[in-house]
Amino acid sequence: MILKVYTSLLLLILANSVWTRTVRQVYDDLDPEHWSHYTSECPQECFCPPSFPNALYCDNKGLKEIPAIPARIWYLYLQNNLIETLSEKSFVNATHLRWINLNKNKITNSGIEGGVLSKLKRLLYLFLEDNELEEVPAPLPVGLEQLRLARNKISRIPEGVFNNLENLTMLDLHQNSLLDSALQSDTFQGLNNLMQLNIAKNSLKKMPSSIPVNTLQLFLDNNSIEVIPENYFSAIPKVTFLRLNYNKLSDDGIPPNGFNVSSILDLQLSHNQLTKIPPINAHLEHLHLDHNKIKSVNGTQICPVSIALEEDHGYYGNIPRLRYLRLDGNEIQPPIPLDIMICFRLLQAVVI
């Protein structure tokens, strides 16, 4: 199980670099005699490196609109401009686009011409961070693998906007204006292969419902969440990395075994209102509980297995796998209790 999880995460982490190998292969095969041809096609506002014929660099140019994109372009860099609109005329020939970076512009929903994005049939990566969007743009290309919409003004997710995005593995909506009412039971319907969902830095008071079943990484930091519903994580049995830092969780808001989930390897609960360590699973490897209101730690009580049983089986039994424990910013006084070390024999670092 753990091997499969790490394999999936490795694929997600490497997703941004896989395209580089493909592009470099194209560059290596390019005949220098054709460089002048590629340069002549280049929009005068942009830079077309002869050794990278499938890439078009129009970033940091002060552009207010997108120039006509040549048909050969796969990778389009338009970040750090003053672009307000996306029109079909700019992309009429750009039928091979795989990657568009439009971060740090002034794009609004009204400035996106209807259907312009969905017509980019081969697009895999769409970056629209740091713009002026008030809702998730729709319709979107059905082949998308990553959609990054962080740091906009998004307060609304149109119904069915994700229904056909079966290839999407990453959805980043952090630092927007999402309320609980924006996340309905069918909001994420269709995201069957989503692995990372980032809804940090919004205005949520409740855990979002109907998270895609294959989600591995769930980031909910910097919201106002107070309660974890009973059996919440049974609906997302593969969740491995869970971040709930900077929320309003108290002991009463966590069910008795709320975080006793075998799939979770990294649990972050920093900057909440906990007075005790919640029950954890023996598979957990990293636990962040700094800056809560915890006054003491009892290793025997928090140990996910019986210490006596652990001593009987030694390193060959089901010993807890916790390797990193952070408890600073609480009211705990050193030294570290001996029973903590007896229980968690694999601990490599304790911050107190």
Side-chain angles (χ1 to χ4, degrees):
M1 168 62 183
I2 294 177
L3 179 59
K4 291 182 179 178
V5 168
Y6 277 126
T7 301
S8 299
L9 289 174
L10 182 60
L11 290 174
L12 180 62
I13 293 169
L14 293 178
N16 288 336
S17 62
V18 170
W19 65 273
T20 305
R21 293 194 296 271
T22 305
V23 175
R24 291 192 180 281
Q25 184 176 2
V26 173
Y27 301 157
D28 293 341
D29 293 340
L30 181 65
D31 188 339
E33 294 181 3
H34 298 294
W35 288 359
S36 59
H37 167 68
Y38 289 121
T39 303
S40 66
E41 283 189 331
C42 186
Q44 62 179 2
E45 308 95 325
C46 306
F47 173 57
C48 299
S51 57
F52 301 90
N54 294 100
L56 180 60
Y57 292 87
C58 307
D59 52 306
N60 297 287
K61 301 293 184 181
L63 299 180
K64 293 186 177 181
E65 60 181 31
I66 300 174
I69 308 303
R72 62 184 168 82
I73 299 303
W74 287 19
Y75 307 100
L76 178 58
Y77 298 88
L78 289 159
Q79 66 270 27
N80 293 302
N81 281 294
L82 303 171
I83 297 168
E84 297 181 357
T85 60
L86 304 182
S87 62
E88 188 173 346
K89 67 177 182 179
S90 299
F91 300 100
V92 65
N93 295 319
T95 57
H96 295 281
L97 278 175
R98 265 67 163 180
W99 172 297
I100 300 178
N101 190 333
L102 280 159
N103 291 346
K104 295 187 178 180
N105 279 282
K106 297 182 179 297
I107 299 167
T108 62
N109 288 95
S110 60
I112 301 177
E113 188 174 319
V116 63
L117 293 174
S118 62
K119 291 178 181 177
L120 302 174
K121 303 295 185 182
R122 301 187 183 185
L123 194 66
L124 302 178
Y125 301 87
L126 177 58
F127 299 170
L128 280 164
E129 299 178 344
D130 295 285
N131 277 280
E132 304 292 329
L133 298 174
E134 295 183 353
E135 63 180 53
V136 175
L140 292 163
V142 296
L144 271 186
E145 294 182 5
Q146 288 192 19
L147 177 60
R148 304 195 186 202
L149 299 169
R151 294 178 298 279
N152 277 273
K153 301 175 181 178
I154 296 173
S155 62
R156 181 174 177 271
I157 300 178
E159 184 177 356
V161 67
F162 301 128
N163 279 2
N164 298 316
L165 303 188
E166 294 188 358
N167 295 327
L168 199 71
T169 59
M170 176 189 287
L171 175 58
D172 191 344
L173 288 163
H174 89 269
Q175 201 165 332
N176 277 284
S177 302
L178 292 171
L179 300 170
D180 295 319
S181 57
L183 304 180
Q184 302 298 316
S185 60
D186 59 350
T187 295
F188 301 113
Q189 183 175 329
L191 300 179
N192 299 326
N193 290 295
L194 194 72
M195 290 192 286
Q196 184 184 106
L197 177 59
N198 192 341
I199 326 178
K201 294 188 177 181
N202 279 279
S203 299
L204 304 180
K205 294 183 178 180
K206 299 187 297 185
M207 295 290 285
S209 60
S210 300
I211 298 296
V213 68
N214 288 313
T215 302
L216 296 174
Q217 301 177 334
L218 178 58
F219 303 149
L220 292 164
D221 314 75
N222 292 89
N223 281 285
S224 298
I225 297 170
E226 298 179 356
V227 176
I228 307 294
E230 191 81 34
N231 299 318
Y232 181 84
F233 299 106
S234 62
I236 43 175
K238 298 181 181 180
V239 64
T240 305
F241 292 86
L242 177 61
R243 293 196 335 218
L244 280 159
N245 304 318
Y246 291 95
N247 276 283
K248 297 182 178 180
L249 289 171
S250 64
D251 301 329
D252 294 337
I254 300 175
N257 284 293
F259 296 120
N260 188 0
V261 180
S262 61
S263 66
I264 299 178
L265 303 183
D266 190 298
L267 175 60
Q268 300 190 20
L269 297 168
S270 304
H271 293 272
N272 278 280
Q273 299 172 12
L274 302 175
T275 64
K276 59 184 180 182
I277 298 178
I280 59 175
N281 193 272
H283 290 91
L284 187 67
E285 296 184 1
H286 296 83
L287 178 59
H288 298 246
L289 284 165
D290 55 287
H291 297 91
N292 277 274
K293 299 178 179 180
I294 302 171
K295 294 182 179 181
S296 62
V297 181
N298 186 314
T300 303
Q301 290 179 355
I302 69 171
C303 192
V305 301
S306 167
I307 290 181
L309 183 64
E310 183 181 342
E311 289 176 342
D312 290 340
H313 289 277
Y315 283 94
Y316 301 100
N318 185 30
I319 66 170
R321 300 176 185 174
L322 194 67
R323 288 173 166 79
Y324 179 87
L325 175 60
R326 184 169 178 183
L327 291 166
D328 56 305
N330 285 282
E331 300 175 31
I332 304 169
Q333 298 298 320
I336 300 167
L338 179 60
D339 52 4
I340 290 286
M341 309 310 295
I342 293 174
C343 173
F344 302 107
R345 300 185 183 186
L346 300 181
L347 265 177
Q348 297 175 356
V350 181
V351 184
I352 193 170

